[in-house]
Amino acid sequence: MAELTQNPKPLARNLIDLIKTPWALIVVILALVAVLDPGNWTEVVSFAAKALAHTGQYILFAVLLLSYLKATGAEVMVARAFEGRETRMIFLAALFGGLAPFCSCEVIPFIAGLLALGAPLSAVMAFWLSSPLIDPPTLLITAGALGWPFAIGKAVAAVALGLFGGFAVRTLMRGGAFAQPLREYKPAGCCGCGPKQDDKPVWKFWQDPDRRTRFRAEFVHNGLFLLKWLAFAYVLEALLVSYVPADLIARVVGGEGVVPIVIAALVGMPAYLNSYVAPPLLAGLMEQGMSAGAAMSFMVAGAVSSIPAMAAVWSLVKPRVFATYLGLGISGAIVAGILFQMI
């Protein structure tokens, strides 16, 4: 008791951190529903629980896959995308960007190292634009919430956006732009994402005690991460379906025209939702009248302009490159929404 009295700041910080967690927010939201609308509490909880249970199979497979990629050291495969001719590098970077099992802090030193070693900005841009949009867990979560056609469409949009950005930057660079794209970069440490990897993946990771330990750690960490965010997302979706008038959504981002798609991209750009929260919420919005094209545009724009992605870009490159990144991302989101709506 004396220690708590003498040093209250750590306790206060811990309480604040706890309040900010998705679990605490879920409790607060459900408590407010119980107090303000007790007749609807059971329906809200039931909706969220059923949706989470439906997605549970995808969560389990996604966590197993991501843990396997981390334990084997598959990140080294991504680095190979930046070897060879520039055109080949752009194609491989856009493809591997959608497969890379990087957390947001790992990508910063990885990209910084590539640029410092002379990797062309065009290939780096292709990777940067595609990597926030899709990865194996996100693909499965999107399929569980919005269906496989939407998930496959998002994956195609990720690769296409990477290619679009890569070749656009290559064209600009041939005209003399971005001669020195990189800021002075000083590594600030990462989130402890694991030991240094070998020169090639070790697919039979279970034969190595250190890799088995990493697999277990990644499984627990990623499993809890996905579970808490998806539970929070489905509670929000339940509130959306219950309390937001469908005609309001339909008026803003409904319809089949280009305008709702553009509006969705502009709204999605600052309204950051991580890739695990966005699919369930968009499923609720589509039930309320949001068009499929607007949903795709919102998701692509939100992923490209996410806080971790923008922070990574801003910390490494000069403002002109940063502006180009955002411009390519938003225009690509609008085009992806229009094409998906047409299909």
Side-chain angles (χ1 to χ4, degrees):
M1 181 66 69
E3 291 182 0
L4 293 178
T5 304
Q6 294 172 1
N7 194 12
K9 290 185 178 181
L11 178 60
R13 284 198 297 268
N14 290 336
L15 289 175
I16 292 174
D17 291 340
L18 178 62
I19 292 172
K20 292 180 179 179
T21 63
W23 298 121
L25 293 174
I26 291 172
V27 171
V28 171
I29 290 171
L30 294 181
L32 289 173
V33 173
V35 171
L36 300 176
D37 189 13
N40 198 39
W41 187 86
T42 302
E43 184 176 347
V44 169
V45 173
S46 176
F47 181 97
K50 289 179 180 178
L52 185 62
H54 170 73
T55 314
Q57 56 187 327
Y58 297 95
I59 297 176
L60 178 60
F61 185 78
V63 171
L64 286 171
L65 178 60
L66 185 58
S67 301
Y68 178 75
L69 292 174
K70 289 286 190 177
T72 57
E75 293 96 325
V76 298
M77 297 178 64
V78 179
R80 295 174 187 167
F82 297 88
E83 299 174 354
R85 297 174 62 87
E86 185 176 6
T87 299
R88 174 180 175 274
M89 282 190 276
I90 293 173
F91 274 100
L92 289 179
L95 177 62
F96 278 105
L99 300 174
F102 286 124
C103 68
S104 60
C105 67
E106 281 181 297
V107 115
I108 299 175
F110 179 80
I111 293 297
L114 289 172
L115 288 173
L117 291 173
L121 180 62
S122 56
V124 172
M125 184 65 74
F127 180 84
W128 234 330
L129 286 168
S130 62
S131 61
L133 282 170
I134 201 74
D135 54 43
T138 302
L139 179 69
L140 294 171
I141 297 301
T142 303
L146 296 169
W148 278 106
F150 198 99
I152 294 173
K154 184 184 177 185
V156 172
V159 176
L161 180 57
L163 293 174
F164 168 62
F167 284 108
V169 168
R170 187 179 74 163
T171 301
L172 292 172
M173 292 183 69
R174 289 183 174 180
F178 312 132
Q180 295 179 337
L182 190 62
R183 292 177 186 262
E184 182 180 357
Y185 175 71
K186 296 180 180 179
C190 193
C191 57
C193 296
K196 182 179 179 181
Q197 299 296 334
D198 296 330
D199 292 335
K200 59 182 180 179
V202 179
W203 301 116
K204 297 181 180 181
F205 74 91
W206 52 86
Q207 298 176 353
D208 186 330
D210 291 337
R211 293 180 182 274
R212 289 200 303 268
T213 300
R214 188 179 188 193
F215 177 86
R216 288 193 296 269
E218 292 288 346
F219 181 84
V220 172
H221 173 77
N222 291 309
L224 291 176
F225 177 84
L226 289 177
L227 183 62
K228 70 181 180 182
W229 280 111
L230 285 172
F232 179 58
Y234 282 125
V235 169
L236 292 181
E237 182 186 358
L239 295 179
L240 182 70
V241 172
S242 298
Y243 298 112
V244 177
D247 59 344
L248 175 62
I249 302 297
R251 286 199 304 269
V252 177
V253 289
E256 303 298 325
V258 176
V259 174
I261 294 174
V262 175
I263 293 174
L266 296 177
V267 172
M269 179 177 64
Y272 168 63
L273 297 172
N274 70 41
S275 298
Y276 309 114
V277 175
L281 290 184
L282 284 175
L285 288 171
M286 291 177 70
E287 290 178 5
Q288 300 288 79
M290 187 181 202
S291 67
M296 180 63 72
S297 178
F298 182 96
M299 182 175 286
V300 172
V304 170
S305 64
S306 70
I307 293 173
M310 285 198 297
V313 178
W314 182 259
S315 67
L316 295 182
V317 297
K318 294 181 178 179
R320 287 177 297 172
V321 181
F322 179 79
T324 302
Y325 171 83
L326 287 184
L328 291 170
I330 300 306
S331 59
I334 295 172
V335 172
I338 293 173
L339 293 177
F340 191 73
Q341 184 71 33
M342 293 173 60
I343 295 173

